[in-house]
């Protein structure tokens, strides 16, 4: 039995875990593929650094793609991250007919179409399960298990860092800043947390999942993205009073277009999620995806969304799939149709609004009047709580209300006419019928 020669691009958190997994689970891989798998080459930046589990006398350790190619790998696992030179390296590998499995969400989200085209031209495979939701097999579920269904909506908690922070704020009443500091101490958040807290990471993952779920090319820049940095401890507490949790929800939904046909609405935004919704129970650094469609109804998958060993398990699963299959529709470009992106106001939904307003008689009536003038009606006023002086002698109140379904643009226009020191506006998710 010939060994399969595997090359790793990257030997950091994920790459080294994959290497260890392939050694420790050699028997499982052999049972699944009837082949032995050998890591024969590793590409890194720093070739001189000693790395546990990597013996440079038996495995090529190089910083040169040419040398790695010369070692004649049968398959390559990419866990080096970044866009360039990674993109250039993957194109060179695919052009030579070498199958690639990758954990790189930004690369797949931004250059998937180009990479798939080159893989197809060379009749080879590009697999990317590990690029979304770590260990959770959501790509496989969408591409294979649900391939013959019609998906209407996909909701996800796709970023573990922000879910950890929002869970901590809900559990302990801590501020955003404290939750971020703890997440950084625990290694959940990077020293520069922008990609996570501003929703950029979740938007890349959503564009990958929505592209498969709806068979359409999704430009990451078409995902309306709002992060959690504007969410306060007050908002989290008010959500609790409303029977909800605040979650950073990634959402892709098929909508009817006014002239017929369909569009796709895409957003990543903090939302109020009712406590009985399956996503409300997802706490800590866990990821989850709810898929709604016909004829299967609703499916929810959840699990570890990051971590070296967890992500490595998804890469190894793709590696096993590559070894057990020929290039097919499962590994070709999943983007077969084109759905236009829905304009922001295509969807009406309920909203939560919190604002600091001057604490004087008639303020609530003025706010209600401003909203009514733009066709927005109030569902509930939760509380109007005096918060003390604003430093100029005038007192202020925190006004919290929820609206009946309305277009976000109408609400924004209405609120622009109301004077308030600061405010939070969040869409509210409805509980799915099966869960109510
Ligand atoms: N960490 C996670 O939990 C996780 C979860 C899901 C997906 N991912 C994805 O997995 C990928 C890797 O993440 P990671 O956390 O393992 O990163 P990491 O720990 O920083 O490791 C990156 C590895 O790639 C090598 N590398 C980077 N740029 C290179 C270049 N230009 N030339 C040669 N080698 C290069 C590094 O070499 P040196 O060791 O010499 O620096 C290092 O070994 C990323 O796409 C990430 O988004 C990570």
């Amino acid at each position: 039995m010939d060994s399969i020669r595997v090359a790793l691009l990257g030997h950091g958190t994920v790459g080294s875990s994959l290497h260890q997994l392939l050694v420790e689970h050699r028997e499982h891989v052999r049972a699944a593929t009837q082949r032995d798998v050998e890591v024969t080459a590793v590409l890194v930046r720093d070739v001189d650094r000693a790395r546990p589990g990597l013996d440079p006398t038996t495995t090529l350790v190089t910083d040169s793609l040419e040398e790695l190619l010369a070692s004649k790998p049968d398959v390559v696992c990419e866990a080096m991250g970044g866009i360039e030179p990674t993109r250039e390296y993957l194109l060179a590998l695919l052009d030579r007919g070498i199958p690639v499995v990758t954990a790189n969400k930004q690369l797949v989200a931004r250059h998937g179409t180009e990479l798939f085209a080159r893989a197809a031209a060379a009749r080879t495979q590009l697999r990317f399960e590990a690029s979304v939701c770590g260990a959770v097999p959501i790509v496989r579920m969408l591409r294979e298990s649900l391939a013959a269904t019609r998906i209407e909506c996909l909701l996800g908690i796709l970023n573990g860092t922000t879910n950890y922070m929002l869970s901590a704020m809900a559990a302990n009443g801590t501020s955003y800043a404290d939750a971020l500091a703890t997440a950084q101490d625990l290694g959940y958040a990077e020293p520069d947390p922008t990609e996570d807290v501003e929703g950029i990471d979740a938007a890349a993952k959503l564009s990958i999942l929505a592209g498969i779920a709806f068979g359409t090319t999704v430009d990451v820049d078409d995902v309306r993205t709002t992060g959690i940095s504007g969410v306060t401890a007050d908002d989290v507490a008010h959500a609790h009073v409303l029977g909800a949790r605040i979650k950073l929800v990634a959402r892709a939904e098929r909508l009817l277009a006014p002239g017929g046909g369909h569009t796709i609405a895409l957003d990543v935004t903090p939302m109020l999620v009712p406590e009985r919704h399956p996503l409300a129970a997802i706490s800590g650094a866990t990821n989850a995806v709810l898929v709604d469609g016909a004829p299967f109804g609703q499916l929810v998958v959840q699990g570890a969304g990051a971590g070296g060993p967890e992500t490595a398990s998804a890469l190894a699963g793709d590696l096993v799939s590559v070894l057990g299959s020929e290039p097919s529709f499962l590994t070709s470009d999943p983007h077969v149709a084109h759905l236009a992106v829905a304009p922001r106001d295509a969807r009406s939904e309920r909203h939560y609004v919190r604002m600091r307003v001057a604490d004087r008689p008639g303020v609530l009536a003025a706010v209600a009047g401003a909203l009514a003038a733009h066709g927005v009606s109030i569902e509930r006023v939760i509380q109007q709580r005096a918060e003390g002086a604003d430093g100029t002698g005038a007192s202020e109140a925190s006004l919290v209300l929820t609206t009946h379904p309305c277009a976000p643009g109408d609400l924004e226009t209405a609120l622009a006419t109301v004077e308030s020191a600061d405010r939070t506006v969040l869409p509210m998710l409805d509980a799915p019928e099966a869960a109510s």
Side-chain angles (χ1 to χ4, degrees):
M1 183 165 64
D2 287 345
S3 287
I4 296 292
R5 301 169 65 78
V6 175
L8 307 182
L9 305 190
H11 205 267
T13 306
V14 175
S16 62
S17 293
L18 176 61
H19 193 173
Q20 189 181 348
L21 187 154
L22 293 177
V23 171
E24 288 176 1
H25 292 254
R26 180 184 294 268
E27 294 304 321
H28 292 129
V29 176
R30 184 188 290 141
T33 65
Q34 308 300 306
R35 314 288 286 271
D36 270 323
V37 164
E38 206 80 51
V39 174
T40 51
V42 170
L43 182 92
V44 289
R45 268 182 302 226
D46 180 357
V47 293
D48 297 324
R49 187 173 354 132
R51 296 167 194 267
L54 182 54
D55 179 357
T57 62
T58 55
T59 305
L60 171 70
V61 180
T62 179
D63 58 3
S64 151
L65 184 73
E66 290 309 316
E67 274 188 25
L68 182 129
L69 287 167
S71 74
K72 301 220 175 305
D74 297 308
V75 54
V76 169
C77 302
E78 187 268 306
M80 64 186 256
I83 300 288
E84 295 293 359
T86 321
R87 171 186 151 275
E88 195 190 305
Y89 289 1
L90 293 205
L91 290 174
L93 290 159
L94 294 170
D95 284 348
R96 286 167 173 76
I98 301 169
V100 173
V101 305
T102 179
N104 192 327
K105 65 201 149 249
Q106 292 295 352
L107 191 60
V108 175
R110 296 195 177 270
H111 298 282
T113 302
E114 179 189 29
L115 292 163
F116 281 120
R118 299 279 275 267
R123 300 242 348 116
T124 193
Q125 304 196 34
L126 170 65
R127 291 190 181 243
F128 52 96
E129 181 70 72
S131 66
V132 188
C133 294
V136 183
I138 180 65
V139 170
R140 195 171 309 247
M141 184 175 115
L142 292 173
R143 289 208 84 173
E144 302 184 29
S145 315
L146 303 181
T149 67
R150 179 187 159 99
I151 293 171
E152 298 297 337
C153 181
L154 181 148
L155 299 173
I157 293 178
L158 305 183
N159 182 268
T161 305
T162 46
N163 203 53
Y164 169 82
M165 289 171 59
L166 291 169
S167 303
M169 289 168 76
N172 316 322
T174 45
S175 68
Y176 169 84
D178 287 347
L180 176 57
T182 310
Q184 285 172 324
D185 285 349
L186 292 172
Y188 289 137
E190 300 285 329
D192 175 359
T194 311
E195 284 229 351
D196 290 327
V197 298
E198 296 306 341
I200 299 163
D201 171 85
K205 293 168 177 169
L206 180 68
S207 79
I208 295 173
L209 294 184
I212 308 168
F214 296 94
T216 185
T217 307
V218 175
D219 188 333
V220 192
D221 299 328
D222 282 334
V223 179
R224 266 181 286 279
T225 305
T226 308
I228 66 162
S229 53
V231 176
T232 66
D234 256 8
D235 295 320
V236 172
H238 291 312
H240 197 75
V241 172
L242 286 161
R245 297 278 176 271
I246 297 183
K247 297 285 178 192
L248 183 66
V249 177
R251 175 169 61 165
E253 191 174 7
R254 187 192 297 275
L255 297 182
L256 278 175
H262 293 98
T263 55
I264 177 171
L266 300 153
D267 56 6
V268 168
T269 184
M271 295 186 79
L272 266 70
V273 178
E275 272 157 9
R276 63 183 192 280
H277 192 286
L279 293 189
I282 306 302
S283 63
T286 306
N287 281 190
V289 182
L290 182 153
V291 189
D292 197 331
F296 61 92
Q298 281 176 7
L299 286 171
V300 182
V301 283
Q302 69 178 82
E310 294 85 349
T311 309
S313 75
L315 279 169
D318 270 356
L319 179 61
V320 165
S321 296
V322 164
L323 298 180
S325 65
E326 292 295 315
S328 71
F329 81 97
L330 292 175
T331 54
S332 62
D333 190 342
H335 311 124
V336 291
H338 179 72
L339 283 181
V341 175
R344 184 175 69 149
D345 283 350
R347 174 171 45 209
S348 282
E349 58 192 333
R350 292 157 65 229
H351 286 80
Y352 155 95
V353 180
R354 176 193 57 81
M355 51 188 151
R356 261 196 302 142
V357 292
D359 189 14
R360 56 179 143 73
V363 167
L364 178 57
V367 171
L371 295 180
H374 292 87
V376 178
S377 72
I378 293 176
E379 182 192 48
R380 268 177 88 178
V381 177
I382 308 305
Q383 54 180 297
Q384 189 170 18
R385 180 160 55 85
E387 286 199 329
D390 65 357
T392 61
S395 67
E396 291 187 334
S398 179
L399 179 61
V400 178
L401 53 87
T402 65
T403 72
H404 286 292
C406 64
D410 291 341
L411 179 59
E412 191 179 288
T413 312
L415 291 175
T417 67
V418 175
E419 238 181 80
S420 63
D422 78 309
R423 64 171 163 252
T424 306
V425 179
L426 302 176
M428 299 175 71
L429 205 59
D430 287 323
E433 273 165 32
S436 47

